[in-house]
Coordinates of all heavy atoms in Angstrom, one line a residue:
S1 N -20.5 18.0 -26.1 CA -19.2 18.1 -26.7 C -18.4 19.3 -26.2 O -17.2 19.2 -25.9 CB -19.4 18.2 -28.2 OG -18.1 18.3 -28.9
E2 N -19.1 20.4 -26.0 CA -18.5 21.6 -25.5 C -18.0 21.5 -24.1 O -16.9 21.9 -23.7 CB -19.4 22.8 -25.6 CG -18.8 24.2 -25.3 CD -17.7 24.6 -26.3 OE1 -17.8 24.1 -27.5 OE2 -16.9 25.4 -26.0
K3 N -18.9 20.8 -23.3 CA -18.5 20.6 -21.9 C -17.3 19.6 -21.7 O -16.4 19.9 -20.9 CB -19.8 20.0 -21.2 CG -19.6 19.9 -19.6 CD -20.9 19.5 -19.0 CE -20.7 19.5 -17.5 NZ -22.0 19.0 -16.8
A4 N -17.3 18.6 -22.6 CA -16.2 17.6 -22.5 C -14.9 18.4 -23.0 O -13.8 18.1 -22.4 CB -16.5 16.5 -23.5
K5 N -15.0 19.2 -24.0 CA -13.9 20.0 -24.4 C -13.3 20.9 -23.3 O -12.1 21.0 -23.1 CB -14.3 20.8 -25.6 CG -13.1 21.5 -26.3 CD -13.6 22.3 -27.5 CE -12.4 23.0 -28.2 NZ -12.9 23.7 -29.4
Q6 N -14.3 21.6 -22.6 CA -13.8 22.4 -21.5 C -13.2 21.6 -20.3 O -12.2 22.0 -19.7 CB -15.0 23.2 -20.9 CG -15.6 24.2 -21.9 CD -16.8 25.0 -21.3 OE1 -17.2 24.7 -20.2 NE2 -17.3 25.9 -22.1
L7 N -13.7 20.4 -20.0 CA -13.2 19.6 -19.0 C -11.7 19.1 -19.4 O -10.8 19.1 -18.6 CB -14.1 18.3 -18.8 CG -15.4 18.6 -18.0 CD1 -16.2 17.3 -18.0 CD2 -15.1 19.1 -16.6
R8 N -11.6 18.7 -20.7 CA -10.2 18.4 -21.1 C -9.2 19.5 -21.0 O -8.1 19.3 -20.5 CB -10.3 17.9 -22.6 CG -10.9 16.5 -22.7 CD -10.6 15.9 -24.1 NE -11.2 16.8 -25.2 CZ -12.4 16.6 -25.7 NH1 -13.2 15.6 -25.2 NH2 -12.8 17.4 -26.7
A9 N -9.7 20.7 -21.3 CA -8.8 21.9 -21.2 C -8.5 22.1 -19.7 O -7.3 22.4 -19.4 CB -9.5 23.1 -21.9
M10 N -9.5 22.0 -18.9 CA -9.2 22.2 -17.4 C -8.3 21.2 -16.8 O -7.4 21.5 -16.1 CB -10.6 22.2 -16.7 CG -11.4 23.4 -17.0 SD -13.1 23.3 -16.2 CE -12.6 23.4 -14.5
R11 N -8.5 19.9 -17.2 CA -7.6 18.9 -16.8 C -6.1 19.1 -17.3 O -5.2 19.0 -16.5 CB -8.0 17.5 -17.2 CG -9.3 17.0 -16.5 CD -9.8 15.8 -17.1 NE -11.1 15.3 -16.5 CZ -11.8 14.4 -17.0 NH1 -11.5 13.7 -18.1 NH2 -13.0 14.0 -16.4
K12 N -6.0 19.5 -18.5 CA -4.7 19.8 -19.1 C -4.0 20.9 -18.3 O -2.8 20.9 -18.0 CB -4.8 20.1 -20.5 CG -3.5 20.2 -21.3 CD -3.7 20.4 -22.8 CE -2.4 20.6 -23.5 NZ -2.6 20.8 -25.0
Y13 N -4.8 22.0 -18.0 CA -4.3 23.2 -17.3 C -3.9 22.8 -15.9 O -2.9 23.2 -15.4 CB -5.3 24.3 -17.3 CG -4.9 25.5 -16.6 CD1 -3.9 26.4 -17.1 CD2 -5.4 25.8 -15.4 CE1 -3.5 27.5 -16.5 CE2 -5.0 27.0 -14.7 CZ -4.0 27.8 -15.2 OH -3.6 28.9 -14.6
G14 N -4.8 21.9 -15.2 CA -4.5 21.5 -13.9 C -3.2 20.7 -13.8 O -2.4 20.9 -12.8
K15 N -3.0 19.8 -14.7 CA -1.8 19.0 -14.7 C -0.6 19.9 -14.9 O 0.4 19.7 -14.3 CB -1.9 17.9 -15.8 CG -2.9 16.8 -15.5 CD -2.8 15.8 -16.6 CE -3.8 14.6 -16.3 NZ -3.8 13.6 -17.4
K16 N -0.7 20.9 -15.8 CA 0.4 21.8 -16.0 C 0.7 22.6 -14.8 O 1.9 22.7 -14.4 CB 0.0 22.7 -17.2 CG 1.1 23.7 -17.6 CD 0.7 24.6 -18.7 CE 1.8 25.6 -19.1 NZ 1.4 26.5 -20.2
V17 N -0.3 23.1 -14.1 CA -0.1 23.9 -12.9 C 0.6 23.0 -11.8 O 1.5 23.4 -11.1 CB -1.4 24.5 -12.4 CG1 -1.2 25.1 -11.0 CG2 -1.8 25.5 -13.4
Q18 N 0.0 21.7 -11.6 CA 0.6 20.8 -10.6 C 2.0 20.5 -10.9 O 2.8 20.4 -10.0 CB -0.3 19.5 -10.6 CG 0.1 18.6 -9.5 CD -0.8 17.4 -9.5 OE1 -1.6 17.2 -10.4 NE2 -0.7 16.5 -8.5
T19 N 2.3 20.3 -12.2 CA 3.7 20.0 -12.5 C 4.6 21.1 -12.2 O 5.8 21.0 -11.7 CB 3.8 19.6 -14.0 OG1 2.9 18.5 -14.3 CG2 5.2 19.2 -14.4
E20 N 4.2 22.3 -12.5 CA 5.0 23.5 -12.2 C 5.2 23.7 -10.7 O 6.3 24.0 -10.3 CB 4.3 24.8 -12.8 CG 4.3 24.8 -14.3 CD 3.6 26.1 -14.8 OE1 3.0 26.8 -14.0 OE2 3.6 26.3 -16.1
I21 N 4.1 23.4 -9.9 CA 4.3 23.6 -8.4 C 5.3 22.5 -7.9 O 6.1 22.8 -7.1 CB 2.9 23.4 -7.8 CG1 2.0 24.6 -8.1 CG2 3.0 23.3 -6.3 CD1 0.6 24.4 -7.6
L22 N 5.2 21.3 -8.4 CA 6.1 20.2 -7.9 C 7.6 20.6 -8.3 O 8.5 20.4 -7.5 CB 5.7 18.9 -8.5 CG 4.4 18.3 -8.0 CD1 4.1 17.0 -8.7 CD2 4.5 18.0 -6.5
Q23 N 7.7 21.1 -9.5 CA 9.1 21.4 -10.0 C 9.6 22.6 -9.1 O 10.8 22.6 -8.7 CB 9.1 21.8 -11.4 CG 8.8 20.6 -12.4 CD 8.8 21.1 -13.8 OE1 8.8 22.3 -14.1 NE2 8.7 20.1 -14.7
R24 N 8.8 23.6 -8.8 CA 9.2 24.7 -8.0 C 9.6 24.3 -6.6 O 10.6 24.7 -6.0 CB 8.1 25.8 -7.9 CG 8.6 27.1 -7.2 CD 7.6 28.2 -7.3 NE 6.4 27.9 -6.5 CZ 5.2 27.6 -7.0 NH1 5.0 27.6 -8.3 NH2 4.2 27.4 -6.2
R25 N 8.8 23.3 -6.0 CA 9.1 22.8 -4.7 C 10.4 22.1 -4.6 O 11.2 22.2 -3.7 CB 7.9 21.9 -4.2 CG 6.7 22.7 -3.8 CD 5.6 21.8 -3.3 NE 4.4 22.5 -2.9 CZ 3.2 21.9 -2.6 NH1 3.2 20.6 -2.6 NH2 2.2 22.6 -2.3
Q26 N 10.6 21.2 -5.7 CA 11.8 20.5 -5.7 C 13.0 21.4 -5.9 O 14.1 21.2 -5.2 CB 11.8 19.5 -6.9 CG 10.8 18.4 -6.7 CD 10.7 17.4 -7.9 OE1 11.4 17.7 -8.9 NE2 9.9 16.4 -7.8
K27 N 12.9 22.5 -6.7 CA 14.0 23.4 -6.8 C 14.3 24.2 -5.5 O 15.4 24.3 -5.2 CB 13.6 24.4 -7.9 CG 14.7 25.4 -8.3 CD 14.3 26.3 -9.5 CE 15.4 27.2 -9.8 NZ 15.0 28.1 -10.9
E28 N 13.2 24.6 -4.8 CA 13.4 25.3 -3.5 C 14.1 24.4 -2.5 O 14.9 24.8 -1.8 CB 12.1 25.8 -3.0 CG 11.5 26.9 -3.8 CD 10.1 27.3 -3.3 OE1 9.6 26.6 -2.4 OE2 9.5 28.3 -3.9
K29 N 13.6 23.1 -2.5 CA 14.2 22.1 -1.5 C 15.7 21.9 -1.9 O 16.5 21.8 -1.0 CB 13.4 20.8 -1.6 CG 13.8 19.8 -0.6 CD 13.0 18.6 -0.7 CE 13.4 17.5 0.4 NZ 12.6 16.3 0.3
K30 N 16.0 21.8 -3.1 CA 17.4 21.6 -3.6 C 18.2 22.8 -3.2 O 19.4 22.6 -2.7 CB 17.4 21.3 -5.1 CG 18.8 21.0 -5.6 CD 18.7 20.7 -7.1 CE 20.1 20.3 -7.6 NZ 20.1 20.0 -9.1
N31 N 17.7 24.0 -3.4 CA 18.5 25.2 -3.1 C 18.7 25.3 -1.6 O 19.8 25.6 -1.1 CB 17.8 26.4 -3.6 CG 17.7 26.5 -5.1 OD1 18.5 25.9 -5.8 ND2 16.7 27.2 -5.6
M32 N 17.7 24.9 -0.8 CA 17.8 25.0 0.7 C 18.8 24.0 1.2 O 19.7 24.3 2.0 CB 16.5 24.7 1.4 CG 16.5 24.9 2.9 SD 15.0 24.5 3.7 CE 15.1 22.7 3.5
L33 N 18.8 22.7 0.6 CA 19.8 21.7 1.0 C 21.2 22.1 0.7 O 22.1 21.9 1.4 CB 19.4 20.4 0.4 CG 18.1 19.7 0.9 CD1 17.8 18.5 0.1 CD2 18.2 19.4 2.4
N34 N 21.4 22.7 -0.5 CA 22.7 23.2 -0.9 C 23.2 24.3 0.1 O 24.4 24.3 0.4 CB 22.7 23.7 -2.3 CG 22.4 22.6 -3.3 OD1 22.8 21.5 -3.1 ND2 21.9 23.0 -4.5
A35 N 22.3 25.2 0.5 CA 22.7 26.3 1.4 C 23.0 25.7 2.7 O 24.0 26.2 3.4 CB 21.5 27.3 1.5
V36 N 22.3 24.7 3.2 CA 22.6 24.1 4.5 C 24.0 23.4 4.4 O 24.8 23.5 5.4 CB 21.5 23.1 4.9 CG1 21.9 22.2 6.1 CG2 20.2 23.8 5.2
K37 N 24.2 22.7 3.3 CA 25.5 22.0 3.2 C 26.7 23.0 3.2 O 27.7 22.8 3.8 CB 25.6 21.2 1.9 CG 24.7 19.9 2.0 CD 24.8 19.2 0.7 CE 23.9 17.9 0.7 NZ 23.9 17.2 -0.6
K38 N 26.5 24.2 2.5 CA 27.5 25.2 2.5 C 27.7 25.8 3.9 O 28.9 26.0 4.3 CB 27.1 26.3 1.5 CG 27.2 25.9 0.1 CD 26.8 27.1 -0.8 CE 26.9 26.7 -2.3 NZ 26.6 27.8 -3.2
Y39 N 26.6 25.9 4.6 CA 26.8 26.5 6.0 C 27.5 25.5 6.9 O 28.3 25.9 7.7 CB 25.4 26.8 6.5 CG 25.5 27.4 7.9 CD1 25.8 28.8 8.1 CD2 25.2 26.6 9.1 CE1 25.9 29.3 9.4 CE2 25.3 27.1 10.3 CZ 25.6 28.5 10.5 OH 25.7 29.0 11.8
Q40 N 27.2 24.2 6.8 CA 27.8 23.2 7.6 C 29.3 23.1 7.3 O 30.1 22.8 8.2 CB 27.1 21.8 7.4 CG 25.7 21.8 8.0 CD 25.0 20.5 7.7 OE1 25.5 19.7 6.9 NE2 23.9 20.2 8.3
K41 N 29.6 23.2 6.1 CA 31.1 23.1 5.7 C 31.8 24.4 5.9 O 33.0 24.5 5.8 CB 31.2 22.8 4.2 CG 30.7 21.4 3.9 CD 30.8 21.1 2.4 CE 30.3 19.7 2.1 NZ 30.4 19.4 0.6
G42 N 31.1 25.5 6.4 CA 31.8 26.7 6.6 C 32.0 27.6 5.4 O 32.8 28.6 5.5
L43 N 31.4 27.2 4.3 CA 31.6 28.0 3.1 C 30.8 29.3 3.1 O 31.0 30.2 2.3 CB 31.3 27.2 1.8 CG 32.2 25.9 1.7 CD1 31.7 25.1 0.5 CD2 33.6 26.3 1.5
S44 N 29.8 29.3 3.9 CA 28.9 30.5 4.0 C 28.5 30.7 5.4 O 28.3 29.7 6.2 CB 27.6 30.2 3.1 OG 26.7 31.3 3.3
D45 N 28.3 31.9 5.8 CA 27.9 32.3 7.2 C 26.5 32.9 7.2 O 26.1 33.6 8.2 CB 28.9 33.2 7.9 CG 29.1 34.5 7.1 OD1 28.7 34.5 5.9 OD2 29.7 35.4 7.6
K46 N 25.7 32.8 6.1 CA 24.4 33.5 6.0 C 23.4 32.4 6.3 O 23.5 31.3 5.9 CB 24.2 34.0 4.7 CG 25.1 35.2 4.3 CD 24.8 35.8 3.0 CE 25.8 36.9 2.6 NZ 25.5 37.5 1.3

């Protein structure tokens, strides 16, 4: 019972970490695409 409880906690934590990583990657990708669009349109020179 204790081992099953630990496995459930680890799975829950792993899913949480995986979700956070995917959200961070999507956010970084979105920010990079916005920056590229601004540079192509001439709104930014950085």
Side-chain angles (χ1 to χ4, degrees):
S1 176
E2 188 66 24
K3 190 174 181 180
K5 187 177 179 181
Q6 291 178 0
L7 286 174
R8 286 195 298 269
M10 289 174 65
R11 287 174 185 170
K12 187 175 181 181
Y13 179 74
K15 288 182 180 178
K16 183 179 178 182
V17 172
Q18 187 177 8
T19 305
E20 290 178 356
I21 291 174
L22 292 175
Q23 290 178 355
R24 187 173 71 249
R25 287 180 180 174
Q26 291 177 359
K27 186 177 180 181
E28 291 176 356
K29 186 177 180 180
K30 185 177 180 181
N31 293 337
M32 186 186 71
L33 292 175
N34 292 335
V36 171
K37 289 180 181 179
K38 287 182 180 180
Y39 180 80
Q40 290 176 348
K41 292 179 180 179
L43 300 176
S44 175
D45 57 348
K46 295 182 180 180

